[in-house]
Amino acid sequence: MFVIAGTLGAIGAVYGMAASSGPWTATLFGVAYGTAGILIGVPLAGFFNITRRLWS
């Protein structure tokens, strides 16, 4: 669960920094996209955790 949320948060932070034009926007976009990645990653990881018995 932590791996999925952390990975999506890191991907979002890297994308936010890469898509910016300056150091201030890199910081803001990195935090914003990282937070968005975590907000998407936690429910997704929870869903995988709840339904993992259906896949075995």
Side-chain angles (χ1 to χ4, degrees):
M1 193 164 173
F2 291 113
V3 173
I4 293 173
T7 302
L8 287 177
I11 290 170
V14 169
Y15 175 76
M17 286 189 265
S20 64
S21 60
W24 287 105
T25 55
T27 304
L28 292 176
F29 286 165
V31 170
Y33 282 111
T35 302
I38 290 172
L39 289 175
I40 292 169
V42 169
L44 183 66
F47 173 74
F48 286 153
N49 192 21
I50 290 169
T51 62
R52 69 180 171 185
R53 291 191 184 115
L54 299 175
W55 299 334
S56 27

